Amino acid sequence: MRKEGILNTDICCAISSLGHTDYLVIADPGLPIPDHVTVIDISLVKGVPGFTEVFDAVTEELVIDSYIYAEEMESSGAELLKYVQDKLAGVPAQKIPHEDLKHILPKAKVIIRTGECTPYANVILEGGVNF
């Protein structure tokens, strides 16, 4: 058993398998999941686990080159967006319409579905390298 960090086996494997420029998505339970993309559904009930809990755990272990979020998050999920921006200060970000974000999802290697029910609580993290 690990001493600390993520204990979920599927999430550990997903992070370990990501290569440079691969996408990992942290999503709300309403985001449509493309058929061929691996989904790790950790949603339990509305709000559990929350976006920030999952985001913090993943970003502690994942090297991130950039991230993408839906522009609708600026109004509907402003607090979560500020949280992401503060935690990823200095990491390049791209803001796109939610419909465009959904079209990028088939390129994701894995999507982690949370219980977060804030509208547009979806962030695409682009994997980086630590050398």
Side-chain angles (χ1 to χ4, degrees), residues 100-126:
D100 292 350
L101 185 137
K102 290 193 291 188
H103 290 295
I104 295 173
L105 295 177
K107 294 178 7 182
K109 194 158 188 181
V110 66
I111 298 174
I112 301 172
R113 183 182 290 165
T114 71
E116 182 66 52
C117 289
T118 301
Y120 306 106
N122 308 293
V123 174
I124 299 173
L125 303 173
E126 179 184 20

PDB file of all heavy atoms in Angstrom, residues 100-126:
ATOM      1  N   ASP A 100     -16.959  23.187 -27.940  1.00  0.00           N
ATOM      2  CA  ASP A 100     -15.643  22.833 -28.482  1.00  0.00           C
ATOM      3  C   ASP A 100     -14.896  21.896 -27.533  1.00  0.00           C
ATOM      4  O   ASP A 100     -14.205  20.980 -27.975  1.00  0.00           O
ATOM      5  CB  ASP A 100     -14.800  24.088 -28.746  1.00  0.00           C
ATOM      6  CG  ASP A 100     -15.357  24.934 -29.884  1.00  0.00           C
ATOM      7  OD1 ASP A 100     -16.272  24.468 -30.606  1.00  0.00           O
ATOM      8  OD2 ASP A 100     -14.881  26.073 -30.051  1.00  0.00           O
ATOM      9  N   LEU A 101     -15.044  22.141 -26.225  1.00  0.00           N
ATOM     10  CA  LEU A 101     -14.406  21.264 -25.243  1.00  0.00           C
ATOM     11  C   LEU A 101     -14.919  19.830 -25.405  1.00  0.00           C
ATOM     12  O   LEU A 101     -14.141  18.881 -25.389  1.00  0.00           O
ATOM     13  CB  LEU A 101     -14.676  21.776 -23.826  1.00  0.00           C
ATOM     14  CG  LEU A 101     -13.956  21.014 -22.707  1.00  0.00           C
ATOM     15  CD1 LEU A 101     -13.392  21.992 -21.693  1.00  0.00           C
ATOM     16  CD2 LEU A 101     -14.882  20.043 -22.019  1.00  0.00           C
ATOM     17  N   LYS A 102     -16.220  19.685 -25.616  1.00  0.00           N
ATOM     18  CA  LYS A 102     -16.788  18.345 -25.790  1.00  0.00           C
ATOM     19  C   LYS A 102     -16.225  17.655 -27.032  1.00  0.00           C
ATOM     20  O   LYS A 102     -16.066  16.437 -27.046  1.00  0.00           O
ATOM     21  CB  LYS A 102     -18.319  18.407 -25.851  1.00  0.00           C
ATOM     22  CG  LYS A 102     -18.942  18.769 -24.510  1.00  0.00           C
ATOM     23  CD  LYS A 102     -20.426  18.535 -24.462  1.00  0.00           C
ATOM     24  CE  LYS A 102     -21.196  19.469 -25.320  1.00  0.00           C
ATOM     25  NZ  LYS A 102     -22.668  19.360 -25.128  1.00  0.00           N
ATOM     26  N   HIS A 103     -15.884  18.433 -28.053  1.00  0.00           N
ATOM     27  CA  HIS A 103     -15.319  17.845 -29.281  1.00  0.00           C
ATOM     28  C   HIS A 103     -13.876  17.378 -29.086  1.00  0.00           C
ATOM     29  O   HIS A 103     -13.391  16.550 -29.852  1.00  0.00           O
ATOM     30  CB  HIS A 103     -15.404  18.835 -30.442  1.00  0.00           C
ATOM     31  CG  HIS A 103     -16.811  19.068 -30.915  1.00  0.00           C
ATOM     32  ND1 HIS A 103     -17.580  18.085 -31.484  1.00  0.00           N
ATOM     33  CD2 HIS A 103     -17.587  20.173 -30.878  1.00  0.00           C
ATOM     34  CE1 HIS A 103     -18.767  18.566 -31.786  1.00  0.00           C
ATOM     35  NE2 HIS A 103     -18.803  19.830 -31.421  1.00  0.00           N
ATOM     36  N   ILE A 104     -13.190  17.904 -28.075  1.00  0.00           N
ATOM     37  CA  ILE A 104     -11.817  17.492 -27.776  1.00  0.00           C
ATOM     38  C   ILE A 104     -11.788  16.183 -26.975  1.00  0.00           C
ATOM     39  O   ILE A 104     -10.815  15.440 -27.011  1.00  0.00           O
ATOM     40  CB  ILE A 104     -11.073  18.599 -26.987  1.00  0.00           C
ATOM     41  CG1 ILE A 104     -10.913  19.848 -27.844  1.00  0.00           C
ATOM     42  CG2 ILE A 104      -9.710  18.122 -26.506  1.00  0.00           C
ATOM     43  CD1 ILE A 104     -10.353  21.036 -27.081  1.00  0.00           C
ATOM     44  N   LEU A 105     -12.859  15.864 -26.275  1.00  0.00           N
ATOM     45  CA  LEU A 105     -12.890  14.711 -25.372  1.00  0.00           C
ATOM     46  C   LEU A 105     -12.462  13.390 -26.004  1.00  0.00           C
ATOM     47  O   LEU A 105     -11.810  12.583 -25.332  1.00  0.00           O
ATOM     48  CB  LEU A 105     -14.276  14.561 -24.734  1.00  0.00           C
ATOM     49  CG  LEU A 105     -14.692  15.700 -23.811  1.00  0.00           C
ATOM     50  CD1 LEU A 105     -16.114  15.457 -23.301  1.00  0.00           C
ATOM     51  CD2 LEU A 105     -13.724  15.867 -22.663  1.00  0.00           C
ATOM     52  N   PRO A 106     -12.768  13.128 -27.278  1.00  0.00           N
ATOM     53  CA  PRO A 106     -12.312  11.858 -27.847  1.00  0.00           C
ATOM     54  C   PRO A 106     -10.789  11.711 -27.874  1.00  0.00           C
ATOM     55  O   PRO A 106     -10.273  10.599 -27.971  1.00  0.00           O
ATOM     56  CB  PRO A 106     -12.879  11.883 -29.278  1.00  0.00           C
ATOM     57  CG  PRO A 106     -14.084  12.747 -29.171  1.00  0.00           C
ATOM     58  CD  PRO A 106     -13.693  13.816 -28.180  1.00  0.00           C
ATOM     59  N   LYS A 107     -10.053  12.815 -27.751  1.00  0.00           N
ATOM     60  CA  LYS A 107      -8.590  12.746 -27.719  1.00  0.00           C
ATOM     61  C   LYS A 107      -8.055  12.443 -26.314  1.00  0.00           C
ATOM     62  O   LYS A 107      -6.863  12.198 -26.148  1.00  0.00           O
ATOM     63  CB  LYS A 107      -7.999  14.062 -28.223  1.00  0.00           C
ATOM     64  CG  LYS A 107      -8.307  14.289 -29.693  1.00  0.00           C
ATOM     65  CD  LYS A 107      -7.838  15.569 -30.331  1.00  0.00           C
ATOM     66  CE  LYS A 107      -6.974  16.512 -29.639  1.00  0.00           C
ATOM     67  NZ  LYS A 107      -6.661  17.720 -30.400  1.00  0.00           N
ATOM     68  N   ALA A 108      -8.936  12.453 -25.318  1.00  0.00           N
ATOM     69  CA  ALA A 108      -8.499  12.213 -23.934  1.00  0.00           C
ATOM     70  C   ALA A 108      -8.129  10.745 -23.746  1.00  0.00           C
ATOM     71  O   ALA A 108      -8.748   9.846 -24.309  1.00  0.00           O
ATOM     72  CB  ALA A 108      -9.594  12.589 -22.950  1.00  0.00           C
ATOM     73  N   LYS A 109      -7.103  10.528 -22.952  1.00  0.00           N
ATOM     74  CA  LYS A 109      -6.706   9.163 -22.604  1.00  0.00           C
ATOM     75  C   LYS A 109      -7.599   8.623 -21.493  1.00  0.00           C
ATOM     76  O   LYS A 109      -7.934   7.445 -21.460  1.00  0.00           O
ATOM     77  CB  LYS A 109      -5.240   9.138 -22.174  1.00  0.00           C
ATOM     78  CG  LYS A 109      -4.662   7.765 -22.115  1.00  0.00           C
ATOM     79  CD  LYS A 109      -3.165   7.783 -22.221  1.00  0.00           C
ATOM     80  CE  LYS A 109      -2.632   6.385 -22.352  1.00  0.00           C
ATOM     81  NZ  LYS A 109      -1.182   6.372 -22.434  1.00  0.00           N
ATOM     82  N   VAL A 110      -7.990   9.515 -20.580  1.00  0.00           N
ATOM     83  CA  VAL A 110      -8.844   9.108 -19.458  1.00  0.00           C
ATOM     84  C   VAL A 110      -9.652  10.308 -18.978  1.00  0.00           C
ATOM     85  O   VAL A 110      -9.185  11.446 -19.026  1.00  0.00           O
ATOM     86  CB  VAL A 110      -8.007   8.498 -18.300  1.00  0.00           C
ATOM     87  CG1 VAL A 110      -7.106   9.532 -17.672  1.00  0.00           C
ATOM     88  CG2 VAL A 110      -8.885   7.853 -17.254  1.00  0.00           C
ATOM     89  N   ILE A 111     -10.864  10.011 -18.511  1.00  0.00           N
ATOM     90  CA  ILE A 111     -11.724  11.018 -17.899  1.00  0.00           C
ATOM     91  C   ILE A 111     -12.080  10.525 -16.505  1.00  0.00           C
ATOM     92  O   ILE A 111     -12.545   9.391 -16.339  1.00  0.00           O
ATOM     93  CB  ILE A 111     -13.000  11.257 -18.727  1.00  0.00           C
ATOM     94  CG1 ILE A 111     -12.626  11.798 -20.113  1.00  0.00           C
ATOM     95  CG2 ILE A 111     -13.955  12.199 -17.994  1.00  0.00           C
ATOM     96  CD1 ILE A 111     -13.796  11.941 -21.076  1.00  0.00           C
ATOM     97  N   ILE A 112     -11.828  11.362 -15.515  1.00  0.00           N
ATOM     98  CA  ILE A 112     -12.201  11.043 -14.134  1.00  0.00           C
ATOM     99  C   ILE A 112     -13.498  11.788 -13.845  1.00  0.00           C
ATOM    100  O   ILE A 112     -13.538  13.020 -13.864  1.00  0.00           O
ATOM    101  CB  ILE A 112     -11.106  11.456 -13.130  1.00  0.00           C
ATOM    102  CG1 ILE A 112      -9.782  10.754 -13.459  1.00  0.00           C
ATOM    103  CG2 ILE A 112     -11.555  11.129 -11.699  1.00  0.00           C
ATOM    104  CD1 ILE A 112      -8.603  11.258 -12.634  1.00  0.00           C
ATOM    105  N   ARG A 113     -14.557  11.029 -13.603  1.00  0.00           N
ATOM    106  CA  ARG A 113     -15.867  11.625 -13.325  1.00  0.00           C
ATOM    107  C   ARG A 113     -16.044  11.787 -11.829  1.00  0.00           C
ATOM    108  O   ARG A 113     -15.975  10.818 -11.067  1.00  0.00           O
ATOM    109  CB  ARG A 113     -16.977  10.746 -13.884  1.00  0.00           C
ATOM    110  CG  ARG A 113     -18.362  11.353 -13.674  1.00  0.00           C
ATOM    111  CD  ARG A 113     -19.439  10.451 -14.196  1.00  0.00           C
ATOM    112  NE  ARG A 113     -19.387  10.430 -15.650  1.00  0.00           N
ATOM    113  CZ  ARG A 113     -20.010   9.529 -16.400  1.00  0.00           C
ATOM    114  NH1 ARG A 113     -20.700   8.561 -15.846  1.00  0.00           N
ATOM    115  NH2 ARG A 113     -19.937   9.574 -17.702  1.00  0.00           N
ATOM    116  N   THR A 114     -16.225  13.032 -11.402  1.00  0.00           N
ATOM    117  CA  THR A 114     -16.419  13.355  -9.990  1.00  0.00           C
ATOM    118  C   THR A 114     -17.909  13.473  -9.682  1.00  0.00           C
ATOM    119  O   THR A 114     -18.742  13.335 -10.566  1.00  0.00           O
ATOM    120  CB  THR A 114     -15.739  14.693  -9.635  1.00  0.00           C
ATOM    121  OG1 THR A 114     -16.476  15.760 -10.243  1.00  0.00           O
ATOM    122  CG2 THR A 114     -14.294  14.732 -10.106  1.00  0.00           C
ATOM    123  N   GLY A 115     -18.219  13.805  -8.448  1.00  0.00           N
ATOM    124  CA  GLY A 115     -19.594  14.077  -8.054  1.00  0.00           C
ATOM    125  C   GLY A 115     -19.918  15.563  -8.076  1.00  0.00           C
ATOM    126  O   GLY A 115     -21.008  15.964  -7.667  1.00  0.00           O
ATOM    127  N   GLU A 116     -18.982  16.379  -8.554  1.00  0.00           N
ATOM    128  CA  GLU A 116     -19.155  17.839  -8.570  1.00  0.00           C
ATOM    129  C   GLU A 116     -20.330  18.233  -9.453  1.00  0.00           C
ATOM    130  O   GLU A 116     -20.394  17.833 -10.614  1.00  0.00           O
ATOM    131  CB  GLU A 116     -17.890  18.517  -9.105  1.00  0.00           C
ATOM    132  CG  GLU A 116     -17.936  20.011  -9.113  1.00  0.00           C
ATOM    133  CD  GLU A 116     -18.003  20.622  -7.718  1.00  0.00           C
ATOM    134  OE1 GLU A 116     -17.156  20.274  -6.869  1.00  0.00           O
ATOM    135  OE2 GLU A 116     -18.903  21.445  -7.491  1.00  0.00           O
ATOM    136  N   CYS A 117     -21.251  19.020  -8.916  1.00  0.00           N
ATOM    137  CA  CYS A 117     -22.437  19.417  -9.674  1.00  0.00           C
ATOM    138  C   CYS A 117     -22.469  20.909  -9.996  1.00  0.00           C
ATOM    139  O   CYS A 117     -23.517  21.448 -10.333  1.00  0.00           O
ATOM    140  CB  CYS A 117     -23.693  18.975  -8.940  1.00  0.00           C
ATOM    141  SG  CYS A 117     -23.906  17.175  -9.006  1.00  0.00           S
ATOM    142  N   THR A 118     -21.344  21.576  -9.901  1.00  0.00           N
ATOM    143  CA  THR A 118     -21.243  22.946 -10.388  1.00  0.00           C
ATOM    144  C   THR A 118     -21.224  22.882 -11.911  1.00  0.00           C
ATOM    145  O   THR A 118     -20.452  22.095 -12.470  1.00  0.00           O
ATOM    146  CB  THR A 118     -19.940  23.609  -9.879  1.00  0.00           C
ATOM    147  OG1 THR A 118     -19.950  23.602  -8.454  1.00  0.00           O
ATOM    148  CG2 THR A 118     -19.796  25.025 -10.398  1.00  0.00           C
ATOM    149  N   PRO A 119     -22.084  23.677 -12.587  1.00  0.00           N
ATOM    150  CA  PRO A 119     -22.081  23.621 -14.053  1.00  0.00           C
ATOM    151  C   PRO A 119     -20.702  23.921 -14.647  1.00  0.00           C
ATOM    152  O   PRO A 119     -19.979  24.790 -14.156  1.00  0.00           O
ATOM    153  CB  PRO A 119     -23.080  24.716 -14.443  1.00  0.00           C
ATOM    154  CG  PRO A 119     -23.982  24.839 -13.257  1.00  0.00           C
ATOM    155  CD  PRO A 119     -23.090  24.592 -12.061  1.00  0.00           C
ATOM    156  N   TYR A 120     -20.358  23.176 -15.676  1.00  0.00           N
ATOM    157  CA  TYR A 120     -19.114  23.338 -16.447  1.00  0.00           C
ATOM    158  C   TYR A 120     -17.853  23.051 -15.630  1.00  0.00           C
ATOM    159  O   TYR A 120     -16.780  23.559 -15.939  1.00  0.00           O
ATOM    160  CB  TYR A 120     -19.033  24.727 -17.087  1.00  0.00           C
ATOM    161  CG  TYR A 120     -20.238  25.048 -17.919  1.00  0.00           C
ATOM    162  CD1 TYR A 120     -21.206  25.939 -17.471  1.00  0.00           C
ATOM    163  CD2 TYR A 120     -20.429  24.428 -19.148  1.00  0.00           C
ATOM    164  CE1 TYR A 120     -22.329  26.218 -18.233  1.00  0.00           C
ATOM    165  CE2 TYR A 120     -21.546  24.698 -19.923  1.00  0.00           C
ATOM    166  CZ  TYR A 120     -22.492  25.596 -19.454  1.00  0.00           C
ATOM    167  OH  TYR A 120     -23.609  25.865 -20.221  1.00  0.00           O
ATOM    168  N   ALA A 121     -17.963  22.221 -14.609  1.00  0.00           N
ATOM    169  CA  ALA A 121     -16.803  21.864 -13.776  1.00  0.00           C
ATOM    170  C   ALA A 121     -15.998  20.764 -14.459  1.00  0.00           C
ATOM    171  O   ALA A 121     -15.977  19.612 -14.023  1.00  0.00           O
ATOM    172  CB  ALA A 121     -17.254  21.436 -12.383  1.00  0.00           C
ATOM    173  N   ASN A 122     -15.362  21.147 -15.572  1.00  0.00           N
ATOM    174  CA  ASN A 122     -14.593  20.213 -16.386  1.00  0.00           C
ATOM    175  C   ASN A 122     -13.293  20.888 -16.796  1.00  0.00           C
ATOM    176  O   ASN A 122     -13.311  22.005 -17.308  1.00  0.00           O
ATOM    177  CB  ASN A 122     -15.369  19.829 -17.648  1.00  0.00           C
ATOM    178  CG  ASN A 122     -16.759  19.361 -17.345  1.00  0.00           C
ATOM    179  OD1 ASN A 122     -16.944  18.316 -16.736  1.00  0.00           O
ATOM    180  ND2 ASN A 122     -17.756  20.115 -17.747  1.00  0.00           N
ATOM    181  N   VAL A 123     -12.185  20.202 -16.576  1.00  0.00           N
ATOM    182  CA  VAL A 123     -10.886  20.742 -16.967  1.00  0.00           C
ATOM    183  C   VAL A 123     -10.087  19.637 -17.647  1.00  0.00           C
ATOM    184  O   VAL A 123     -10.021  18.510 -17.151  1.00  0.00           O
ATOM    185  CB  VAL A 123     -10.111  21.283 -15.747  1.00  0.00           C
ATOM    186  CG1 VAL A 123      -8.706  21.698 -16.130  1.00  0.00           C
ATOM    187  CG2 VAL A 123     -10.851  22.459 -15.124  1.00  0.00           C
ATOM    188  N   ILE A 124      -9.508  19.986 -18.776  1.00  0.00           N
ATOM    189  CA  ILE A 124      -8.628  19.069 -19.498  1.00  0.00           C
ATOM    190  C   ILE A 124      -7.205  19.418 -19.116  1.00  0.00           C
ATOM    191  O   ILE A 124      -6.769  20.570 -19.295  1.00  0.00           O
ATOM    192  CB  ILE A 124      -8.812  19.186 -21.020  1.00  0.00           C
ATOM    193  CG1 ILE A 124     -10.252  18.834 -21.412  1.00  0.00           C
ATOM    194  CG2 ILE A 124      -7.802  18.291 -21.752  1.00  0.00           C
ATOM    195  CD1 ILE A 124     -10.567  19.093 -22.884  1.00  0.00           C
ATOM    196  N   LEU A 125      -6.468  18.453 -18.585  1.00  0.00           N
ATOM    197  CA  LEU A 125      -5.073  18.655 -18.209  1.00  0.00           C
ATOM    198  C   LEU A 125      -4.193  17.980 -19.248  1.00  0.00           C
ATOM    199  O   LEU A 125      -4.392  16.800 -19.565  1.00  0.00           O
ATOM    200  CB  LEU A 125      -4.805  18.056 -16.825  1.00  0.00           C
ATOM    201  CG  LEU A 125      -5.668  18.587 -15.685  1.00  0.00           C
ATOM    202  CD1 LEU A 125      -5.418  17.785 -14.413  1.00  0.00           C
ATOM    203  CD2 LEU A 125      -5.418  20.061 -15.453  1.00  0.00           C
ATOM    204  N   GLU A 126      -3.231  18.707 -19.768  1.00  0.00           N
ATOM    205  CA  GLU A 126      -2.298  18.146 -20.752  1.00  0.00           C
ATOM    206  C   GLU A 126      -1.043  17.707 -20.025  1.00  0.00           C
ATOM    207  O   GLU A 126      -0.373  18.517 -19.359  1.00  0.00           O
ATOM    208  CB  GLU A 126      -1.943  19.178 -21.823  1.00  0.00           C
ATOM    209  CG  GLU A 126      -0.959  18.634 -22.849  1.00  0.00           C
ATOM    210  CD  GLU A 126      -0.516  19.660 -23.862  1.00  0.00           C
ATOM    211  OE1 GLU A 126      -0.636  20.870 -23.596  1.00  0.00           O
ATOM    212  OE2 GLU A 126      -0.022  19.252 -24.919  1.00  0.00           O
TER     213      GLU A 126
END
